[in-house]
Amino acid sequence: MAISSYADPMTAQAPGLHARVLDSLGPSITGGEYPPGSVLRTDELAQRFEVSRSVMREAVRVLESMHLVASRRRVGVTVLPAEEWNVYDPQVIRWRLAGADRPRQLRSLTVLRSAVEPVAAGLAARHATAEQCAALTEYALGMVATSRGQQLEAYLVHDIAFHRTVLNSSGNEMFARLGDVVAEVLTGRTQHDVMFEDPDPAAVTLHVRLAEAVREGDAVRAEALTREIAEGALQELDILAP
């Protein structure tokens, strides 16, 4: 069946326009520019962002899926209180970390990590495959190699991969789904300068030791090391984002 090469210019532009609207409206909501209960009019928003109503409606649907807003006919788009937001959505996390409430958000997420990751690491020591153990070692060595010379972006790649692998190796699908959340936390710390110019050498060493504990099947040691990593991250926040 022949496929037409014609593409509607408005349709082709929609994804970019839709993202632009979200990148502006999302942080405005999570940052408090529109307090809970504020009513936004779709037509007015479409004019403000110079997009079609269909693009605006699609953006609103995304915000609804995150529980940031609720849309009702004849009422408009109402901003919901923070208690109703999908705070695990990676994009919501990204927007909140970009706002003035960054220190509190970072602390909340780091406390979540300290509750979940040690247990996940203990399970990983029991269930990790040989391939996962090898990957953990590789990522830990990558962290060592990029931990000096202000290579934070390169370090971040290995750091995210390491923690994703720990969560995936747990064998628990609920923990594994938190990989995106942890990735946003680690990315936010780096992008918003809530990191030392070079990572703490003690923390880097703990990651290497954790990879060893998982490979050796030592669940108690893996859990203790991960808890130490989490406590260190909280202490860094006390200094860098009090």
Side-chain angles (χ1 to χ4, degrees), residues 1 77 146 151 153 155 161 176:
M1 180 177 64
V77 180
T146 55
Q151 303 180 70
E153 289 296 336
Y155 180 88

Side-chain angles (χ1 to χ4, degrees), residues 28-47:
S28 295
I29 293 173
T30 59
E33 184 178 331
Y34 298 107
S38 301
V39 176
L40 312 176
R41 305 291 178 185
T42 304
D43 290 351
E44 293 175 3
L45 290 172
Q47 290 180 354

Side-chain angles (χ1 to χ4, degrees), residues 4 31-32 39 46 71 109 146 188 197-198 205 217:
S4 171
V39 176
S71 181
L109 290 164
T146 55
E197 289 185 348
D198 284 329
T205 300

Side-chain angles (χ1 to χ4, degrees), residues 103 106-107 110 113 143 148 152 155 159 185-186 189-190 193-204 206-207 228-242:
L106 276 171
R107 183 167 298 278
T110 304
R113 289 182 59 199
M143 293 171 71
R148 286 291 172 265
L152 287 183
Y155 180 88
D159 197 11
V185 180
L186 296 173
R189 288 174 57 197
T190 300
D193 299 322
V194 192
M195 282 278 287
F196 296 115
E197 289 185 348
D198 284 329
D200 180 9
V204 178
L206 287 172
H207 284 78
E228 198 171 343
I229 291 171
E231 289 171 357
L234 281 169
Q235 289 170 4
E236 283 190 10
L237 289 181
D238 290 336
I239 299 169
L240 298 171

Side-chain angles (χ1 to χ4, degrees), residues 55-103:
V55 169
M56 196 64 240
R57 283 195 295 269
E58 181 58 32
V60 168
R61 277 195 288 270
V62 173
L63 295 174
E64 282 185 292
S65 73
M66 300 172 177
H67 298 179
L68 296 183
V69 301
S71 181
R72 295 184 179 85
R73 295 187 64 179
R74 300 180 183 175
V75 174
V77 180
T78 304
V79 176
L80 297 175
E83 292 78 13
E84 297 190 36
W85 297 351
N86 180 4
V87 293
Y88 289 102
D89 187 292
Q91 199 158 20
V92 173
I93 293 172
R94 198 175 311 140
W95 291 336
R96 294 181 76 188
L97 289 177
D101 200 29
R102 183 183 306 130

